[in-house]
Amino acid sequence: VSLVRIARTIVEVYLGHDAGGRVLGGRISRGVADRIKAVIWYSDLRGYTKITDTAPPDEIIPLLNDYAAAVIAAVRNAGGEVLKLIGDGVLAIFRADDAPQACRRALRAEAAMRSGVEAVNALRAAGNHPITSVYLGLHIGEVFYGNIGSEDRLDFTVVGPAVNEASRIAAMCRSVDRSVVMSSEFASATPHPER
């Protein structure tokens, strides 16, 4: 019983609740993926490269941990699944069996993330540590959700054109000087009054 509990905890910490449950349930075959509709969340830290170039090396891991904690808590508390930490980036999904509700949950997560980042910034500034902000791209579309990789190294993630588009949308935040950019598909699927 203890080993099962430890295995579940480890898998969920590294893969997330849903993906971890699927892996423990036997979904470990390469190429096995479900086609699902999801809101795709792709966020990054603003000015991360500059911070890493100028801050002492021992500042980088605490910085990543502080901001990742704010982002991950917001996504999970709103019903999303964090699939991947990519350096300073976070890839997450909100399953969109009910697209308007998934969009609402993503927007709730975005608002909670902003509050969490403000709190992180206040604590970090008080300790004279580097601070930053988070920019976010939101998109909705069909993705493949499952195991991708080689025979001996798999990743449980999402792939497809919608994921690529979410990443490009997040990158647009810099050029348009906005903290959030949403695709027209996401905006159309978002119900009133949030729209």
Side-chain angles (χ1 to χ4, degrees):
V1 172
S2 293
L3 289 175
V4 168
R5 195 172 331 148
I6 290 168
R8 178 166 296 284
T9 300
I10 290 170
V11 167
E12 287 183 3
V13 165
Y14 280 93
L15 298 177
H17 180 73
D18 185 61
R22 288 170 184 251
V23 167
L24 286 175
R27 298 292 302 258
I28 55 172
S29 298
R30 180 169 71 141
V32 174
D34 296 324
R35 182 179 232 149
I36 65 168
K37 188 170 184 181
V39 168
I40 302 108
W41 165 298
Y42 195 98
S43 62
D44 263 323
L45 297 182
R46 190 174 299 278
Y48 176 72
T49 301
K50 183 178 179 185
I51 292 170
T52 59
D53 288 345
T54 58
D58 60 345
E59 289 277 358
I60 304 308
I61 299 300
L63 176 128
L64 287 171
N65 286 340
D66 289 347
Y67 289 100
V71 173
I72 292 167
V75 169
R76 291 184 74 189
N77 290 339
E81 282 286 322
V82 174
L83 298 178
K84 206 176 270 320
L85 304 176
I86 310 159
D88 63 316
V90 175
L91 172 64
I93 62 168
F94 295 81
R95 288 197 60 142
D97 302 323
D98 179 342
Q101 280 304 102
C103 293
R104 275 193 173 120
R105 290 193 320 269
L107 291 172
R108 268 199 316 269
E110 189 274 336
M113 177 193 68
R114 297 283 162 224
S115 296
V117 167
E118 285 178 22
V120 165
N121 282 343
L123 285 171
R124 290 184 62 79
N128 202 29
H129 301 291
I131 63 169
T132 188
S133 60
V134 176
Y135 61 89
L136 169 65
L138 291 171
H139 182 48
I140 188 168
E142 278 197 346
V143 295
F144 289 102
Y145 178 51
N147 291 301
I148 293 99
S150 70
E151 294 287 336
D152 60 353
R153 177 61 174 93
L154 293 173
D155 191 11
F156 204 102
T157 190
V158 287
V159 295
V163 179
N164 300 337
E165 193 163 340
S167 173
R168 288 192 293 271
I169 290 166
M172 288 175 57
C173 290
R174 289 179 289 224
S175 61
V176 297
D177 196 27
R178 294 284 184 259
S179 58
V180 181
V181 175
M182 301 165 202
S183 68
S184 58
E185 292 86 352
F186 181 89
S188 295
T190 301
H192 293 291
E194 290 88 350
R195 185 183 303 176

